[in-house]
Amino acid sequence: MNCKIDYQPAPGLLENRVVLVTGAGDGIGRVAALEYAKHGATVILLGRTIAKLERVYDEIEAQGGPQPAIFPLNFEGATLKDFHDMAETLNNEFGRLDGLLHNAGLLGRITPFDQYNPELWEQVMQVNINGPIWMTQALLPLLQASDDASVIFTSSSVGRKGRAYWGAYSVSKFATEGFMEVLADELENQPHVRVNTLNPGATRTQMRRSAYPGEDPLTLRTPEEIMPTYLWLMGPDSKGVSGQKLDAQPPRS
């Protein structure tokens, strides 16, 4: 589906909404958290590095957004109990969840499959697909308690067409696309919960630098420049859109 790069969000687009962002400590996750807060959302900042989350917390406070919350969690070692404990805590604190941006991700290695380390493969799968799946299951009752909930899974172009050497990352993103379709289909009769994938595209982030070390970062869009689609998909203007594979920016020429 076409991106919404020209979308103009209303200032109070996400007012009174509770939104959880994973990988909120830096990169796209940080900017999404700031933008969601700027547009009125109470943002739950989830990540593995408390110091980074605290910096984003301070940025949100400084820009005058609703007081955010911090929830430290490392997908690599997270258990089912961790996800259900988190759901219980959020239920006690907020009673519902209006938005969930699955942004945390692990690149792994760009390497031929016959040289791929099996332990690294499992690690990438845990962070990119297994953790988000079981977190979503634990949080589903909170999402269903919302009048209008949006779940966004971060995808990639290599999760829509396989590419040599992208190994576990590519396979995890194919799995993400498949899981989104399964969940969206299951929730078809619950239109107040929508589920989509979003491919950020080539963006100026640390992960992109790791994947393409020789690339000039100044040729890439910044996380701030791709936020219109993130805002549109999280807010009420995308009601009725579910089971879709979206892009946050046009394809590069």
Side-chain angles (χ1 to χ4, degrees):
M1 182 178 287
N2 292 336
C3 62
K4 296 287 181 179
I5 197 72
D6 296 324
Y7 175 66
Q8 300 289 326
L13 179 77
L14 303 177
E15 193 170 350
N16 298 321
R17 295 190 179 221
V18 180
V19 176
L20 172 62
V21 177
T22 76
D26 52 26
I28 292 172
R30 168 186 163 272
V31 174
L34 290 170
E35 285 297 312
Y36 290 159
K38 187 184 296 181
H39 288 83
T42 296
V43 181
I44 302 161
L45 307 167
L46 187 143
R48 61 183 180 180
T49 307
I50 294 177
K52 289 183 178 181
L53 299 177
E54 288 176 339
R55 283 196 289 271
V56 180
Y57 182 104
D58 291 342
E59 287 184 89
I60 291 174
E61 293 264 273
Q63 71 181 17
Q67 184 179 19
I70 289 178
F71 203 100
L73 185 77
N74 187 344
F75 276 117
E76 291 179 31
T79 64
L80 290 176
K81 184 178 185 302
D82 292 327
F83 296 134
H84 285 279
D85 287 348
M86 177 180 68
E88 183 177 354
T89 299
L90 298 183
N91 183 50
N92 292 337
E93 185 71 23
F94 302 106
R96 72 180 198 284
L97 192 60
D98 304 301
L100 172 57
L101 171 61
H102 282 293
N103 168 77
L106 189 64
L107 178 65
R109 286 189 66 199
I110 310 297
T111 188
F113 173 69
D114 62 4
Q115 299 175 24
Y116 213 102
N117 180 289
E119 290 183 359
L120 180 58
W121 185 284
E122 294 290 341
Q123 189 179 5
V124 172
M125 289 297 174
Q126 172 62 23
V127 173
N128 291 3
I129 185 64
N130 293 333
I133 281 177
W134 299 122
M135 173 183 282
T136 301
Q137 185 189 62
L139 295 176
L140 200 51
L142 287 173
L143 292 160
Q144 291 168 323
S146 170
D147 293 332
D148 176 34
S150 177
V151 181
I152 305 171
F153 289 95
T154 299
S155 187
S156 169
S157 59
V158 299
R160 295 174 181 171
K161 185 181 187 305
R163 192 179 305 162
Y165 313 125
W166 280 76
Y169 185 81
S170 178
V171 172
S172 73
K173 294 305 181 181
F174 269 99
T176 297
E177 296 278 1
F179 176 66
M180 176 277 291
E181 291 185 348
V182 169
L183 188 57
D185 205 37
E186 289 186 10
L187 297 173
E188 185 179 12
N189 294 322
Q190 300 180 44
H192 59 291
V193 183
R194 48 210 158 88
V195 188
N196 298 280
T197 58
L198 181 56
N199 169 26
T203 309
R204 203 181 305 170
T205 63
Q206 180 57 50
M207 182 182 287
R208 180 76 184 188
R209 284 193 293 274
S210 298
Y212 296 94
E215 185 177 56
D216 180 2
L218 296 180
T219 65
L220 306 176
R221 280 185 166 89
T222 64
E224 288 80 2
E225 290 174 306
I226 65 171
M227 280 300 117
T229 308
Y230 281 80
L231 286 161
W232 175 78
L233 199 51
M234 190 59 76
D237 290 333
S238 58
K239 276 184 180 179
V241 176
S242 191
Q244 301 300 310
K245 303 175 180 182
L246 297 108
D247 297 299
Q249 56 178 296
R252 303 185 80 196
S253 56

Short mmCIF file of all heavy atoms in Angstrom, two decimals, residues 169-204:
data_model
loop_
_atom_site.label_atom_id
_atom_site.label_comp_id
_atom_site.label_asym_id
_atom_site.label_seq_id
_atom_site.Cartn_x
_atom_site.Cartn_y
_atom_site.Cartn_z
N TYR A 169 17.45 -12.27 9.39
CA TYR A 169 16.68 -11.03 9.39
C TYR A 169 15.56 -11.11 8.36
O TYR A 169 14.39 -10.81 8.65
CB TYR A 169 17.59 -9.84 9.09
CG TYR A 169 16.88 -8.51 9.20
CD1 TYR A 169 16.67 -7.91 10.44
CD2 TYR A 169 16.40 -7.86 8.07
CE1 TYR A 169 16.01 -6.69 10.55
CE2 TYR A 169 15.73 -6.64 8.17
CZ TYR A 169 15.54 -6.07 9.41
OH TYR A 169 14.87 -4.86 9.51
N SER A 170 15.90 -11.53 7.14
CA SER A 170 14.91 -11.65 6.08
C SER A 170 13.82 -12.65 6.46
O SER A 170 12.62 -12.36 6.34
CB SER A 170 15.58 -12.08 4.77
OG SER A 170 14.64 -12.26 3.73
N VAL A 171 14.21 -13.82 6.95
CA VAL A 171 13.24 -14.85 7.30
C VAL A 171 12.33 -14.36 8.44
O VAL A 171 11.12 -14.61 8.44
CB VAL A 171 13.96 -16.15 7.67
CG1 VAL A 171 12.99 -17.19 8.23
CG2 VAL A 171 14.68 -16.72 6.45
N SER A 172 12.91 -13.64 9.42
CA SER A 172 12.09 -13.14 10.53
C SER A 172 11.06 -12.13 10.05
O SER A 172 9.95 -12.06 10.59
CB SER A 172 12.99 -12.50 11.61
OG SER A 172 13.51 -11.25 11.19
N LYS A 173 11.40 -11.37 9.03
CA LYS A 173 10.46 -10.37 8.51
C LYS A 173 9.38 -11.03 7.64
O LYS A 173 8.23 -10.58 7.63
CB LYS A 173 11.19 -9.27 7.74
CG LYS A 173 12.10 -8.42 8.62
CD LYS A 173 11.34 -7.81 9.80
CE LYS A 173 12.21 -6.95 10.68
NZ LYS A 173 11.48 -6.37 11.83
N PHE A 174 9.72 -12.11 6.92
CA PHE A 174 8.68 -12.88 6.25
C PHE A 174 7.70 -13.44 7.28
O PHE A 174 6.48 -13.44 7.07
CB PHE A 174 9.31 -14.03 5.45
CG PHE A 174 9.64 -13.68 4.03
CD1 PHE A 174 10.94 -13.35 3.67
CD2 PHE A 174 8.66 -13.71 3.05
CE1 PHE A 174 11.25 -13.04 2.36
CE2 PHE A 174 8.96 -13.39 1.73
CZ PHE A 174 10.27 -13.06 1.38
N ALA A 175 8.24 -13.94 8.40
CA ALA A 175 7.38 -14.47 9.46
C ALA A 175 6.50 -13.37 10.05
O ALA A 175 5.33 -13.61 10.37
CB ALA A 175 8.24 -15.11 10.54
N THR A 176 7.06 -12.18 10.18
CA THR A 176 6.30 -11.04 10.69
C THR A 176 5.11 -10.74 9.78
O THR A 176 3.98 -10.52 10.24
CB THR A 176 7.20 -9.80 10.82
OG1 THR A 176 8.23 -10.07 11.77
CG2 THR A 176 6.41 -8.59 11.26
N GLU A 177 5.36 -10.72 8.48
CA GLU A 177 4.29 -10.47 7.52
C GLU A 177 3.20 -11.54 7.64
O GLU A 177 2.00 -11.25 7.64
CB GLU A 177 4.85 -10.46 6.09
CG GLU A 177 5.85 -9.35 5.80
CD GLU A 177 5.18 -8.04 5.47
OE1 GLU A 177 3.92 -7.96 5.48
OE2 GLU A 177 5.89 -7.06 5.19
N GLY A 178 3.62 -12.81 7.76
CA GLY A 178 2.66 -13.90 7.86
C GLY A 178 1.85 -13.84 9.13
O GLY A 178 0.62 -14.05 9.11
N PHE A 179 2.52 -13.55 10.24
CA PHE A 179 1.80 -13.48 11.51
C PHE A 179 0.80 -12.33 11.50
O PHE A 179 -0.33 -12.47 11.99
CB PHE A 179 2.78 -13.30 12.67
CG PHE A 179 2.09 -13.11 13.99
CD1 PHE A 179 1.34 -14.13 14.54
CD2 PHE A 179 2.19 -11.91 14.68
CE1 PHE A 179 0.68 -13.95 15.76
CE2 PHE A 179 1.53 -11.73 15.89
CZ PHE A 179 0.78 -12.76 16.43
N MET A 180 1.19 -11.20 10.92
CA MET A 180 0.26 -10.07 10.82
C MET A 180 -1.00 -10.49 10.07
O MET A 180 -2.13 -10.19 10.48
CB MET A 180 0.93 -8.90 10.11
CG MET A 180 0.02 -7.70 9.87
SD MET A 180 -1.05 -7.80 8.40
CE MET A 180 0.16 -7.69 7.07
N GLU A 181 -0.84 -11.22 8.96
CA GLU A 181 -2.00 -11.62 8.17
C GLU A 181 -2.89 -12.58 8.96
O GLU A 181 -4.12 -12.48 8.91
CB GLU A 181 -1.54 -12.27 6.86
CG GLU A 181 -0.89 -11.28 5.89
CD GLU A 181 -0.56 -11.91 4.56
OE1 GLU A 181 -0.62 -13.16 4.45
OE2 GLU A 181 -0.25 -11.16 3.62
N VAL A 182 -2.28 -13.51 9.69
CA VAL A 182 -3.04 -14.45 10.51
C VAL A 182 -3.85 -13.70 11.56
O VAL A 182 -5.06 -13.92 11.73
CB VAL A 182 -2.11 -15.49 11.17
CG1 VAL A 182 -2.86 -16.28 12.24
CG2 VAL A 182 -1.51 -16.42 10.13
N LEU A 183 -3.18 -12.79 12.29
CA LEU A 183 -3.85 -12.08 13.38
C LEU A 183 -4.93 -11.15 12.85
O LEU A 183 -6.04 -11.07 13.41
CB LEU A 183 -2.81 -11.31 14.20
CG LEU A 183 -3.33 -10.66 15.48
CD1 LEU A 183 -3.95 -11.69 16.42
CD2 LEU A 183 -2.20 -9.92 16.20
N ALA A 184 -4.64 -10.45 11.77
CA ALA A 184 -5.63 -9.54 11.19
C ALA A 184 -6.87 -10.32 10.75
O ALA A 184 -8.00 -9.86 10.94
CB ALA A 184 -5.03 -8.77 10.02
N ASP A 185 -6.67 -11.50 10.19
CA ASP A 185 -7.78 -12.32 9.75
C ASP A 185 -8.60 -12.81 10.94
O ASP A 185 -9.84 -12.83 10.90
CB ASP A 185 -7.27 -13.51 8.93
CG ASP A 185 -8.32 -14.05 7.97
OD1 ASP A 185 -9.09 -13.25 7.40
OD2 ASP A 185 -8.37 -15.28 7.78
N GLU A 186 -7.92 -13.19 12.01
CA GLU A 186 -8.62 -13.64 13.21
C GLU A 186 -9.44 -12.52 13.85
O GLU A 186 -10.48 -12.78 14.47
CB GLU A 186 -7.63 -14.20 14.23
CG GLU A 186 -7.02 -15.53 13.82
CD GLU A 186 -6.15 -16.14 14.92
OE1 GLU A 186 -6.16 -15.63 16.06
OE2 GLU A 186 -5.45 -17.13 14.62
N LEU A 187 -8.96 -11.28 13.72
CA LEU A 187 -9.63 -10.14 14.34
C LEU A 187 -10.57 -9.42 13.39
O LEU A 187 -11.02 -8.31 13.67
CB LEU A 187 -8.59 -9.15 14.87
CG LEU A 187 -7.67 -9.69 15.98
CD1 LEU A 187 -6.58 -8.67 16.30
CD2 LEU A 187 -8.46 -10.03 17.24
N GLU A 188 -10.88 -10.05 12.26
CA GLU A 188 -11.71 -9.40 11.24
C GLU A 188 -13.05 -8.95 11.80
O GLU A 188 -13.58 -7.91 11.39
CB GLU A 188 -11.93 -10.37 10.08
CG GLU A 188 -12.69 -9.76 8.91
CD GLU A 188 -12.87 -10.74 7.76
OE1 GLU A 188 -12.62 -11.95 7.95
OE2 GLU A 188 -13.28 -10.29 6.68
N ASN A 189 -13.60 -9.70 12.73
CA ASN A 189 -14.89 -9.34 13.32
C ASN A 189 -14.75 -8.46 14.56
O ASN A 189 -15.72 -8.25 15.28
CB ASN A 189 -15.68 -10.61 13.64
CG ASN A 189 -16.07 -11.38 12.40
OD1 ASN A 189 -16.40 -10.78 11.36
ND2 ASN A 189 -16.00 -12.70 12.46
N GLN A 190 -13.52 -8.02 14.82
CA GLN A 190 -13.27 -7.07 15.90
C GLN A 190 -12.61 -5.83 15.29
O GLN A 190 -11.41 -5.60 15.46
CB GLN A 190 -12.36 -7.68 16.97
CG GLN A 190 -12.94 -8.92 17.63
CD GLN A 190 -12.01 -9.49 18.69
OE1 GLN A 190 -11.44 -8.77 19.50
NE2 GLN A 190 -11.85 -10.80 18.69
N PRO A 191 -13.37 -5.03 14.56
CA PRO A 191 -12.79 -3.93 13.80
C PRO A 191 -12.14 -2.85 14.65
O PRO A 191 -11.45 -1.98 14.12
CB PRO A 191 -13.99 -3.37 13.01
CG PRO A 191 -15.19 -3.80 13.79
CD PRO A 191 -14.84 -5.11 14.40
N HIS A 192 -12.35 -2.89 15.97
CA HIS A 192 -11.72 -1.88 16.82
C HIS A 192 -10.25 -2.23 17.11
O HIS A 192 -9.56 -1.45 17.75
CB HIS A 192 -12.48 -1.72 18.14
CG HIS A 192 -12.57 -2.97 18.95
ND1 HIS A 192 -13.33 -4.05 18.57
CD2 HIS A 192 -11.99 -3.31 20.13
CE1 HIS A 192 -13.21 -5.01 19.48
NE2 HIS A 192 -12.41 -4.59 20.42
N VAL A 193 -9.77 -3.39 16.62
CA VAL A 193 -8.35 -3.73 16.72
C VAL A 193 -7.84 -4.02 15.31
O VAL A 193 -8.26 -4.97 14.67
CB VAL A 193 -8.11 -4.97 17.62
CG1 VAL A 193 -6.60 -5.23 17.75
CG2 VAL A 193 -8.74 -4.78 18.99
N ARG A 194 -6.94 -3.19 14.82
CA ARG A 194 -6.39 -3.38 13.48
C ARG A 194 -4.91 -3.70 13.56
O ARG A 194 -4.21 -3.25 14.48
CB ARG A 194 -6.65 -2.16 12.60
CG ARG A 194 -6.29 -0.84 13.22
CD ARG A 194 -7.22 0.27 12.66
NE ARG A 194 -7.28 1.40 13.56
CZ ARG A 194 -6.43 2.42 13.55
NH1 ARG A 194 -5.45 2.45 12.67
NH2 ARG A 194 -6.56 3.40 14.41
N VAL A 195 -4.46 -4.49 12.61
CA VAL A 195 -3.10 -5.01 12.62
C VAL A 195 -2.50 -4.86 11.23
O VAL A 195 -3.10 -5.31 10.25
CB VAL A 195 -3.07 -6.51 13.03
CG1 VAL A 195 -1.65 -6.98 13.24
CG2 VAL A 195 -3.91 -6.75 14.28
N ASN A 196 -1.35 -4.23 11.15
CA ASN A 196 -0.69 -4.01 9.85
C ASN A 196 0.82 -4.11 10.01
O ASN A 196 1.35 -4.05 11.12
CB ASN A 196 -1.05 -2.61 9.32
CG ASN A 196 -2.53 -2.42 9.06
OD1 ASN A 196 -3.06 -2.85 8.04
ND2 ASN A 196 -3.22 -1.78 10.00
N THR A 197 1.50 -4.25 8.87
CA THR A 197 2.96 -4.15 8.88
C THR A 197 3.36 -2.85 8.19
O THR A 197 2.65 -2.34 7.32
CB THR A 197 3.66 -5.32 8.16
OG1 THR A 197 3.20 -5.40 6.80
CG2 THR A 197 3.40 -6.63 8.87
N LEU A 198 4.51 -2.33 8.61
CA LEU A 198 5.03 -1.09 8.04
C LEU A 198 6.52 -1.25 7.76
O LEU A 198 7.30 -1.56 8.67
CB LEU A 198 4.78 0.07 9.02
CG LEU A 198 5.24 1.46 8.57
CD1 LEU A 198 4.60 1.85 7.24
CD2 LEU A 198 4.89 2.49 9.64
N ASN A 199 6.88 -1.05 6.51
CA ASN A 199 8.28 -1.09 6.10
C ASN A 199 8.82 0.34 6.11
O ASN A 199 8.38 1.16 5.31
CB ASN A 199 8.39 -1.70 4.70
CG ASN A 199 9.78 -1.52 4.10
OD1 ASN A 199 10.77 -1.40 4.80
ND2 ASN A 199 9.85 -1.50 2.77
N PRO A 200 9.75 0.66 7.02
CA PRO A 200 10.26 2.04 7.08
C PRO A 200 11.07 2.43 5.86
O PRO A 200 11.22 3.62 5.57
CB PRO A 200 11.13 2.05 8.35
CG PRO A 200 11.47 0.62 8.60
CD PRO A 200 10.33 -0.20 8.08
N GLY A 201 11.62 1.45 5.13
CA GLY A 201 12.47 1.75 3.98
C GLY A 201 13.87 2.19 4.41
O GLY A 201 14.23 2.12 5.59
N ALA A 202 14.64 2.63 3.45
CA ALA A 202 16.03 3.04 3.72
C ALA A 202 16.04 4.31 4.56
O ALA A 202 15.69 5.39 4.09
CB ALA A 202 16.76 3.27 2.40
N THR A 203 16.42 4.17 5.82
CA THR A 203 16.35 5.28 6.77
C THR A 203 17.68 5.43 7.50
O THR A 203 18.38 4.45 7.73
CB THR A 203 15.22 5.03 7.80
OG1 THR A 203 14.01 4.71 7.10
CG2 THR A 203 14.98 6.24 8.67
N ARG A 204 18.00 6.64 7.86
CA ARG A 204 19.29 6.95 8.49
C ARG A 204 19.31 6.47 9.94
O ARG A 204 19.04 7.24 10.87
CB ARG A 204 19.55 8.45 8.40
CG ARG A 204 21.02 8.85 8.49
CD ARG A 204 21.18 10.36 8.42
NE ARG A 204 20.56 10.94 7.23
CZ ARG A 204 20.40 12.25 7.04
NH1 ARG A 204 20.79 13.11 7.97
NH2 ARG A 204 19.82 12.70 5.93
#
